Amino acid sequence: MARIAYILLCHKDPEAIIMQAERLTATGDYISIHFDARAKPEHFRMLREALGHNPNVAFAEKRIKCGWGEWSLVEATLYAVETAVKRFPRASHFYMLSGDCMVIKSSEYIHNFLDDNDVDFIESFDFFESDWIKTGMKAERLIYRHWFNERTQKRRFYATFNLQKKLGFTREIPADIQVMIGSQWWCLRRQTIEAVLDFTRTRRDVMRFFRTTWIPDETFFQTLVRHLVPTPEIRSRTLTFLMFTDYGMPLTFYNDHYDLLLSQDFLFARKISPDAIELKERLGQLYAEKGVSFQISAEGPSLFKFLTGRGRIGKRFASRFWEAESTLGRDRELMLLVCKKWHVAKRLLGKIGEVTDIPTIAYLFNEEGTALPDLGGIQSTLGKRTRHRRALMRMLFDYYNTDRLVICLDPSALEFMQDFFSDRSMTRMLEIQCDFTDEYLTGHAIRIGLAGDQTPRDTLERLLPTIRRDIFNESDRIRDAGFENLGRMSQSAPEAEHVASIMSFLSIDEEKAREIAQTNYLFSD
């Protein structure tokens, strides 16, 4: 009979982890836990005290700090897997979980299912031929090296990426592997896991390659399993039920989704709401029950598409909060103030707020600390703002009870511009083109991590032309995108041209535009 070693990566909510571990090991299975080294030490102590006596629970022998999109997530998984292989020799399967997952079948059903299906379950689609990646970087994930976290070190991430791109510093994919992509929630047999671990010890070239790919948890195991295991022994699917909103976020399940979850052709589900106490209790009790039959209808995805947007009352699966709308609104006007020198844009933005009644917001997609109202959590981090950008903007329009709004964007944010201009709302853009001295560019290089206080002067002199050219190229990409309602305001242009640009951008009269154009020390560094 199958014996499962669950691989759990987690970073919070120790009480829920303890309950999950006790539930999953109560019927004879195992669990290996990697608890993020960034987490609170007292939470890890709580886990060790509560679970340390359980022989079916193990903790990864090495803990590291993890970050979204980084190699650290794969590395942490490997540490937990190595511990599980060593500590649990009777484990026949290894199942990847997160702290947000809950079992949606009984233990008896799961073990019978794995006994009847002697295969590996892991999504693994061809990286280049499939449409698994819908938007954003694709080949760039692999052919360039990524050393920094895109969410916490955004400037360094894109500065090093753009520099490699400009200088042509690409790399080759290891010749004998076909890169695959898919969900990180897999269930693999013991012989497959052991083959993967052997591969990591012998193929240092492949390990070096994946260490600097972007979001390797979607490609590493998916590629290695397909490389090591015959195709007939792989089912390219996950056994964990999850769906995504229009904004790319995993859908959250609540108390009224119990029957829906049980009818899906999956063994686990994510994400379960922290507030769904009743759902968690019912699923926890289900796991230990015997003789339960499940009527599989697999209606989840189609039901979601049918009901989403129809309101919450009386509906099992309608959207919540910011998931409801995908457009800003046909009658609304979004004005994008684009400038590489953030202090210049902020001065002009402040003056616009003084002279007009238009609400203004600074670099909300670039600076974590931008002042924003409480919108139910969607505004809390840069990651959420980026993933839900249209929904966030719609909520800001509603919050300020306005149909006109001005925000600042960095010129590198071409994806945001394209997204907003493709909306049914009216979008206008004013690009402020500043002069850049060598002193300013040196400071800019230091701020984004390309140089330091001790960087030799000759190195800086070689670096500055590249940075200057990169800034100019950002402006060219905006021009080449062919946006309608795009205006420019050059630092070297006369005041009359500034006034005309501001009048067109804000649709205001000349007197107000002139007052804004005369902002004190507007272009001063």
Side-chain angles (χ1 to χ4, degrees), residues 395-414:
M395 295 172 75
L396 287 169
F397 276 108
D398 292 339
Y399 178 85
Y400 290 111
N401 192 26
T402 182
D403 287 329
R404 307 186 75 210
L405 188 65
V406 184
I407 68 170
C408 293
L409 284 180
D410 188 272
S412 63
L414 186 63

mmCIF file of all heavy atoms in Angstrom, residues 395-414:
data_model
loop_
_atom_site.group_PDB
_atom_site.id
_atom_site.type_symbol
_atom_site.label_atom_id
_atom_site.label_comp_id
_atom_site.label_asym_id
_atom_site.label_seq_id
_atom_site.Cartn_x
_atom_site.Cartn_y
_atom_site.Cartn_z
ATOM 1 N N MET A 395 -10.735 50.499 -7.955
ATOM 2 C CA MET A 395 -11.088 50.762 -6.564
ATOM 3 C C MET A 395 -10.651 52.154 -6.135
ATOM 4 O O MET A 395 -11.312 52.802 -5.318
ATOM 5 C CB MET A 395 -10.468 49.683 -5.675
ATOM 6 C CG MET A 395 -11.046 48.291 -5.933
ATOM 7 S SD MET A 395 -10.179 46.961 -5.063
ATOM 8 C CE MET A 395 -10.792 47.228 -3.395
ATOM 9 N N LEU A 396 -9.528 52.641 -6.674
ATOM 10 C CA LEU A 396 -9.083 54.005 -6.350
ATOM 11 C C LEU A 396 -10.033 55.035 -6.944
ATOM 12 O O LEU A 396 -10.341 56.054 -6.305
ATOM 13 C CB LEU A 396 -7.660 54.216 -6.862
ATOM 14 C CG LEU A 396 -6.562 53.501 -6.073
ATOM 15 C CD1 LEU A 396 -5.232 53.556 -6.817
ATOM 16 C CD2 LEU A 396 -6.412 54.118 -4.678
ATOM 17 N N PHE A 397 -10.496 54.795 -8.168
ATOM 18 C CA PHE A 397 -11.508 55.692 -8.740
ATOM 19 C C PHE A 397 -12.740 55.741 -7.833
ATOM 20 O O PHE A 397 -13.291 56.815 -7.558
ATOM 21 C CB PHE A 397 -11.927 55.213 -10.143
ATOM 22 C CG PHE A 397 -11.028 55.676 -11.251
ATOM 23 C CD1 PHE A 397 -10.189 54.794 -11.891
ATOM 24 C CD2 PHE A 397 -11.040 56.995 -11.663
ATOM 25 C CE1 PHE A 397 -9.365 55.205 -12.930
ATOM 26 C CE2 PHE A 397 -10.233 57.426 -12.702
ATOM 27 C CZ PHE A 397 -9.383 56.533 -13.334
ATOM 28 N N ASP A 398 -13.183 54.575 -7.362
ATOM 29 C CA ASP A 398 -14.359 54.523 -6.491
ATOM 30 C C ASP A 398 -14.092 55.195 -5.152
ATOM 31 O O ASP A 398 -14.950 55.907 -4.619
ATOM 32 C CB ASP A 398 -14.773 53.070 -6.267
ATOM 33 C CG ASP A 398 -15.321 52.411 -7.525
ATOM 34 O OD1 ASP A 398 -15.753 53.151 -8.438
ATOM 35 O OD2 ASP A 398 -15.309 51.166 -7.596
ATOM 36 N N TYR A 399 -12.901 54.947 -4.593
ATOM 37 C CA TYR A 399 -12.566 55.521 -3.288
ATOM 38 C C TYR A 399 -12.594 57.041 -3.325
ATOM 39 O O TYR A 399 -13.142 57.684 -2.415
ATOM 40 C CB TYR A 399 -11.186 55.029 -2.844
ATOM 41 C CG TYR A 399 -10.733 55.607 -1.511
ATOM 42 C CD1 TYR A 399 -11.111 55.012 -0.312
ATOM 43 C CD2 TYR A 399 -9.940 56.758 -1.459
ATOM 44 C CE1 TYR A 399 -10.718 55.539 0.905
ATOM 45 C CE2 TYR A 399 -9.534 57.296 -0.245
ATOM 46 C CZ TYR A 399 -9.925 56.683 0.936
ATOM 47 O OH TYR A 399 -9.535 57.222 2.141
ATOM 48 N N TYR A 400 -12.007 57.632 -4.366
ATOM 49 C CA TYR A 400 -11.958 59.083 -4.481
ATOM 50 C C TYR A 400 -13.213 59.667 -5.123
ATOM 51 O O TYR A 400 -13.319 60.888 -5.291
ATOM 52 C CB TYR A 400 -10.726 59.513 -5.282
ATOM 53 C CG TYR A 400 -9.423 59.285 -4.557
ATOM 54 C CD1 TYR A 400 -8.520 58.309 -4.989
ATOM 55 C CD2 TYR A 400 -9.086 60.027 -3.430
ATOM 56 C CE1 TYR A 400 -7.323 58.099 -4.324
ATOM 57 C CE2 TYR A 400 -7.897 59.813 -2.755
ATOM 58 C CZ TYR A 400 -7.020 58.845 -3.198
ATOM 59 O OH TYR A 400 -5.842 58.654 -2.533
ATOM 60 N N ASN A 401 -14.161 58.779 -5.472
ATOM 61 C CA ASN A 401 -15.423 59.214 -6.080
ATOM 62 C C ASN A 401 -15.162 60.159 -7.246
ATOM 63 O O ASN A 401 -15.693 61.273 -7.320
ATOM 64 C CB ASN A 401 -16.317 59.899 -5.036
ATOM 65 C CG ASN A 401 -17.744 60.106 -5.539
ATOM 66 O OD1 ASN A 401 -18.213 59.365 -6.417
ATOM 67 N ND2 ASN A 401 -18.418 61.106 -5.014
ATOM 68 N N THR A 402 -14.325 59.711 -8.166
ATOM 69 C CA THR A 402 -13.897 60.549 -9.280
ATOM 70 C C THR A 402 -13.870 59.736 -10.563
ATOM 71 O O THR A 402 -13.800 58.507 -10.535
ATOM 72 C CB THR A 402 -12.499 61.132 -9.017
ATOM 73 O OG1 THR A 402 -12.126 61.989 -10.103
ATOM 74 C CG2 THR A 402 -11.459 60.021 -8.896
ATOM 75 N N ASP A 403 -13.939 60.414 -11.684
ATOM 76 C CA ASP A 403 -13.769 59.784 -12.997
ATOM 77 C C ASP A 403 -12.446 60.172 -13.635
ATOM 78 O O ASP A 403 -12.183 59.826 -14.791
ATOM 79 C CB ASP A 403 -14.920 60.164 -13.932
ATOM 80 C CG ASP A 403 -16.210 59.469 -13.552
ATOM 81 O OD1 ASP A 403 -16.149 58.338 -13.025
ATOM 82 O OD2 ASP A 403 -17.285 60.050 -13.770
ATOM 83 N N ARG A 404 -11.607 60.936 -12.887
ATOM 84 C CA ARG A 404 -10.314 61.362 -13.397
ATOM 85 C C ARG A 404 -9.257 61.130 -12.325
ATOM 86 O O ARG A 404 -9.465 61.437 -11.149
ATOM 87 C CB ARG A 404 -10.328 62.844 -13.802
ATOM 88 C CG ARG A 404 -11.442 63.218 -14.756
ATOM 89 C CD ARG A 404 -11.306 64.652 -15.233
ATOM 90 N NE ARG A 404 -10.243 64.764 -16.221
ATOM 91 C CZ ARG A 404 -9.505 65.861 -16.410
ATOM 92 N NH1 ARG A 404 -9.677 66.916 -15.635
ATOM 93 N NH2 ARG A 404 -8.590 65.894 -17.361
ATOM 94 N N LEU A 405 -8.110 60.577 -12.723
ATOM 95 C CA LEU A 405 -7.058 60.233 -11.772
ATOM 96 C C LEU A 405 -5.707 60.333 -12.462
ATOM 97 O O LEU A 405 -5.567 59.945 -13.626
ATOM 98 C CB LEU A 405 -7.277 58.797 -11.262
ATOM 99 C CG LEU A 405 -6.411 58.285 -10.117
ATOM 100 C CD1 LEU A 405 -6.693 59.056 -8.842
ATOM 101 C CD2 LEU A 405 -6.676 56.791 -9.882
ATOM 102 N N VAL A 406 -4.700 60.878 -11.732
ATOM 103 C CA VAL A 406 -3.346 60.996 -12.256
ATOM 104 C C VAL A 406 -2.420 60.127 -11.411
ATOM 105 O O VAL A 406 -2.430 60.216 -10.181
ATOM 106 C CB VAL A 406 -2.833 62.448 -12.238
ATOM 107 C CG1 VAL A 406 -1.446 62.536 -12.879
ATOM 108 C CG2 VAL A 406 -3.794 63.375 -12.961
ATOM 109 N N ILE A 407 -1.615 59.275 -12.068
ATOM 110 C CA ILE A 407 -0.618 58.482 -11.358
ATOM 111 C C ILE A 407 0.729 58.625 -12.059
ATOM 112 O O ILE A 407 0.799 59.030 -13.217
ATOM 113 C CB ILE A 407 -1.006 56.988 -11.285
ATOM 114 C CG1 ILE A 407 -0.947 56.348 -12.683
ATOM 115 C CG2 ILE A 407 -2.368 56.799 -10.650
ATOM 116 C CD1 ILE A 407 -1.082 54.831 -12.671
ATOM 117 N N CYS A 408 1.807 58.294 -11.343
ATOM 118 C CA CYS A 408 3.156 58.320 -11.914
ATOM 119 C C CYS A 408 3.604 56.900 -12.251
ATOM 120 O O CYS A 408 3.335 55.964 -11.500
ATOM 121 C CB CYS A 408 4.152 58.932 -10.928
ATOM 122 S SG CYS A 408 3.891 60.672 -10.603
ATOM 123 N N LEU A 409 4.312 56.787 -13.372
ATOM 124 C CA LEU A 409 4.921 55.520 -13.772
ATOM 125 C C LEU A 409 6.359 55.760 -14.185
ATOM 126 O O LEU A 409 6.691 56.812 -14.735
ATOM 127 C CB LEU A 409 4.170 54.895 -14.955
ATOM 128 C CG LEU A 409 2.825 54.206 -14.707
ATOM 129 C CD1 LEU A 409 2.287 53.666 -16.028
ATOM 130 C CD2 LEU A 409 2.948 53.092 -13.697
ATOM 131 N N ASP A 410 7.214 54.764 -13.945
ATOM 132 C CA ASP A 410 8.575 54.803 -14.459
ATOM 133 C C ASP A 410 8.548 54.448 -15.947
ATOM 134 O O ASP A 410 7.731 53.622 -16.371
ATOM 135 C CB ASP A 410 9.442 53.790 -13.694
ATOM 136 C CG ASP A 410 10.908 53.911 -14.042
ATOM 137 O OD1 ASP A 410 11.328 53.261 -15.018
ATOM 138 O OD2 ASP A 410 11.627 54.651 -13.356
ATOM 139 N N PRO A 411 9.403 55.040 -16.765
ATOM 140 C CA PRO A 411 9.394 54.745 -18.206
ATOM 141 C C PRO A 411 9.627 53.276 -18.551
ATOM 142 O O PRO A 411 9.311 52.851 -19.661
ATOM 143 C CB PRO A 411 10.530 55.621 -18.753
ATOM 144 C CG PRO A 411 10.686 56.715 -17.758
ATOM 145 C CD PRO A 411 10.360 56.107 -16.430
ATOM 146 N N SER A 412 10.195 52.512 -17.619
ATOM 147 C CA SER A 412 10.425 51.092 -17.890
ATOM 148 C C SER A 412 9.144 50.268 -17.832
ATOM 149 O O SER A 412 9.131 49.114 -18.268
ATOM 150 C CB SER A 412 11.434 50.522 -16.880
ATOM 151 O OG SER A 412 10.910 50.592 -15.566
ATOM 152 N N ALA A 413 8.065 50.847 -17.306
ATOM 153 C CA ALA A 413 6.823 50.101 -17.076
ATOM 154 C C ALA A 413 5.969 50.019 -18.333
ATOM 155 O O ALA A 413 4.782 50.346 -18.329
ATOM 156 C CB ALA A 413 6.039 50.733 -15.918
ATOM 157 N N LEU A 414 6.556 49.572 -19.433
ATOM 158 C CA LEU A 414 5.834 49.525 -20.704
ATOM 159 C C LEU A 414 4.639 48.577 -20.634
ATOM 160 O O LEU A 414 3.586 48.848 -21.223
ATOM 161 C CB LEU A 414 6.784 49.093 -21.824
ATOM 162 C CG LEU A 414 6.210 49.123 -23.246
ATOM 163 C CD1 LEU A 414 5.836 50.540 -23.651
ATOM 164 C CD2 LEU A 414 7.218 48.540 -24.236
#
